[in-house]
Amino acid sequence: MRIFTHTIRVYIEDTDAAGIVYHPNHLKFFERSRTEMLRECEFTKTTLDNDYDLRFIIKDISTNYKAPAFMDDLLEIKTTLEGHTPTRLLFAQEIYRSQTLIASAKMTIVCVNNAYRPAPLPALLLEKLTTF
Amino acid sequence: MRIFTHTIRVYIEDTDAAGIVYHPNHLKFFERSRTEMLRECEFTKTTLDNDYDLRFIIKDISTNYKAPAFMDDLLEIKTTLEGHTPTRLLFAQEIYRSQTLIASAKMTIVCVNNAYRPAPLPALLLEKLTTF
Amino acid sequence: MRIFTHTIRVYIEDTDAAGIVYHPNHLKFFERSRTEMLRECEFTKTTLDNDYDLRFIIKDISTNYKAPAFMDDLLEIKTTLEGHTPTRLLFAQEIYRSQTLIASAKMTIVCVNNAYRPAPLPALLLEKLTTF
Amino acid sequence: MRIFTHTIRVYIEDTDAAGIVYHPNHLKFFERSRTEMLRECEFTKTTLDNDYDLRFIIKDISTNYKAPAFMDDLLEIKTTLEGHTPTRLLFAQEIYRSQTLIASAKMTIVCVNNAYRPAPLPALLLEKLTTF
């Protein structure tokens, strides 16, 4: 399975008074990258909502912070779909600055309907994600 | 007309790598304070949406930054309703740390319906705000 | 050991287009609460930096999302120091809206010097935190 | 003088419960674009700090919101240096989604030294910005 790579520039908005990227912002970087991976599969949160009445929620996320990231850094976020069930996606993601691992995370994403009940992922999306 | 005062603690999330509160975050502080002023008038964005099918949008905001604010600062935000039309509220707001003026702003808030067209403010809200 | 409880109001800035609190913002709520627990122990990040040349970094954080939180919610964040080493603090934190568990997390915080190397926590802080 | 154009994708992190981009985030988009314009002039906030001991602060910013922006929008931010003094830069910026003007702003940026006193902009930067 191919790893999806997305590049993100660090701006001052991402940093805090310690001079490093503020730790919840790594989760934003992870989500941007999953969103771009979806887009490469020709799905967006907007179309998922409008066409399927579905959305994604985060069930759990576990992050390890390995090294600080700084303003103006150009980061590479690597995303792998590690597993899935009919209603869930399990992702592993890593943030790198060149060869330096900044952070790694694993998270469970659940597909829910408009009543926030688990609902099967669109077959087309699952096919595209698993053959990515 | 009484000035509404709301107190906000600065956390590391509000700061940036320059060691000061990141400038768009002052707008968050202003909005939190307007929200609390509304709550004192027994209105929330949630009830405005659910009971009246109305919401507020920002038309314009002009901010002057006078002094930096820092992590752990305890800030006082002073809010004054300076004027209104049937569909608009004009606010003046200031952020202070003790006697030091951190920032001041003026903004126009428009009441809109669910088609994002200007709509009259609820009479009860306008009465409460203008006799505040 | 006493549980430290801190109350946080949800503002529109905390929400996203799905109408719920955006998932990285729970980490902000957790950090605000740890900061207030420190303050109750008469320590702040500012004094830790100025007086001891120390700061805290997050080593890892694992979060379980149980239920969505919404605009205008009044949330209670419960913080427990679950363990410690000379250079590390292990916290467990939970977010509640009344009796509803919104999210729970465990995280490892490391005390580092200005070269970002692990450094012993101030004895006074450790004593205050462990007898809290 | 050439207009600098920078493209920004809207992610769910940028939106709020009203389903639109949260109004302080437009200021983030403006700053990202000014940062990229600086980078095109071969200057970054990091080098400005390290090599010149200088930084930029915002003196004032006035924003007009014209139309909402939505998740997944691809926005174009147009930046023009409208004027300058030895220590100040006056920018005009606009956000577009295709032909739709989303927001426009004018802001005064002041170059300050490490005591936060106004200081002359590096001659090289001013030359590059004004001949851009």
Side-chain angles (χ1 to χ4, degrees), chain B:
Chain B
M1 199 174 292
R2 186 156 70 88
I3 294 168
F4 177 75
T5 302
H6 178 60
T7 301
I8 286 174
R9 175 72 72 178
V10 176
Y11 294 106
I12 195 167
E13 68 187 77
D14 304 309
T15 62
D16 66 21
I20 60 178
V21 171
Y22 180 54
H23 76 276
N25 290 337
H26 298 68
L27 274 61
K28 293 186 179 181
F29 297 169
F30 288 132
E31 179 160 71
R32 284 186 212 171
S33 302
R34 294 193 308 270
T35 299
E36 291 304 328
M37 191 185 188
L38 270 189
R39 202 184 314 277
E40 192 119 322
C41 294
E42 293 169 344
F43 274 83
T44 65
K45 285 196 179 67
T46 305
T47 57
L48 202 68
D49 186 6
N50 292 348
D51 300 352
Y52 296 87
D53 211 7
L54 295 174
R55 61 208 63 183
F56 289 129
I57 57 169
I58 310 278
K59 188 182 175 295
D60 53 63
I61 180 163
S62 176
T63 307
N64 284 281
Y65 297 91
K66 299 294 190 182
F70 301 100
M71 190 163 60
D72 293 321
D73 277 358
L74 201 59
L75 302 177
E76 282 212 321
I77 290 82
K78 297 180 183 298
T79 303
T80 311
L81 180 65
E82 289 219 318
H84 62 90
T85 73
T87 61
R88 291 183 181 190
L89 299 170
L90 312 177
F91 287 102
Q93 297 188 279
E94 291 174 318
I95 302 175
Y96 282 90
R97 182 187 50 240
S98 303
Q99 306 305 315
T100 304
L101 179 61
I102 302 297
S104 63
K106 299 208 173 206
M107 67 281 295
T108 309
I109 311 290
V110 183
C111 183
V112 298
N113 59 24
N114 59 18
Y116 282 93
R117 304 299 307 167
L121 287 145
L124 180 61
L125 173 57
L126 206 48
E127 186 197 319
K128 287 189 173 182
L129 277 172
T130 53
T131 59
F132 187 78

Side-chain angles (χ1 to χ4, degrees), chain D residues 44-105:
Chain D
T44 66
K45 285 195 178 65
T46 304
T47 57
L48 202 66
D49 186 6
N50 293 347
D51 299 352
Y52 295 87
D53 211 7
L54 295 174
R55 61 206 63 183
F56 289 129
I57 57 170
I58 310 280
K59 189 181 175 297
D60 53 62
I61 179 163
S62 178
T63 307
N64 285 281
Y65 297 90
K66 300 294 189 181
F70 302 99
M71 189 163 61
D72 292 322
D73 277 358
L74 201 58
L75 303 176
E76 281 211 323
I77 291 82
K78 297 180 183 297
T79 302
T80 312
L81 180 64
E82 288 218 319
H84 63 89
T85 72
T87 62
R88 292 182 179 189
L89 299 170
L90 311 176
F91 286 102
Q93 296 188 280
E94 292 175 317
I95 302 176
Y96 283 90
R97 181 187 50 239
S98 303
Q99 306 304 313
T100 305
L101 178 61
I102 302 296
S104 63

Side-chain angles (χ1 to χ4, degrees), chain A residues 6 9 11-13 28 31-32 35-36 39 44-46 71-72, chain D residues 6 9 11-13 28 31-32 35-36 39 44-46 71-72:
Chain A
H6 178 60
R9 175 71 72 176
Y11 293 106
I12 194 167
E13 69 188 75
K28 293 186 179 181
E31 179 161 71
R32 284 186 211 170
T35 298
E36 291 304 329
R39 202 185 313 278
T44 66
K45 285 195 177 65
T46 304
M71 189 163 60
D72 293 321
Chain D
H6 178 60
R9 175 72 72 177
Y11 294 107
I12 194 167
E13 69 188 75
K28 292 186 179 181
E31 179 160 71
R32 283 187 211 170
T35 299
E36 291 304 330
R39 202 185 313 277
T44 66
K45 285 195 178 65
T46 304
M71 189 163 61
D72 292 322

Side-chain angles (χ1 to χ4, degrees), chain A residues 24-65:
Chain A
N25 290 337
H26 298 69
L27 274 60
K28 293 186 179 181
F29 297 170
F30 288 133
E31 179 161 71
R32 284 186 211 170
S33 301
R34 294 193 308 270
T35 298
E36 291 304 329
M37 191 185 187
L38 269 190
R39 202 185 313 278
E40 190 119 324
C41 294
E42 293 169 343
F43 274 82
T44 66
K45 285 195 177 65
T46 304
T47 57
L48 202 66
D49 186 6
N50 292 349
D51 300 352
Y52 296 87
D53 211 7
L54 295 174
R55 61 208 62 184
F56 289 129
I57 57 169
I58 310 279
K59 187 181 175 296
D60 53 62
I61 179 164
S62 177
T63 307
N64 285 282
Y65 297 90

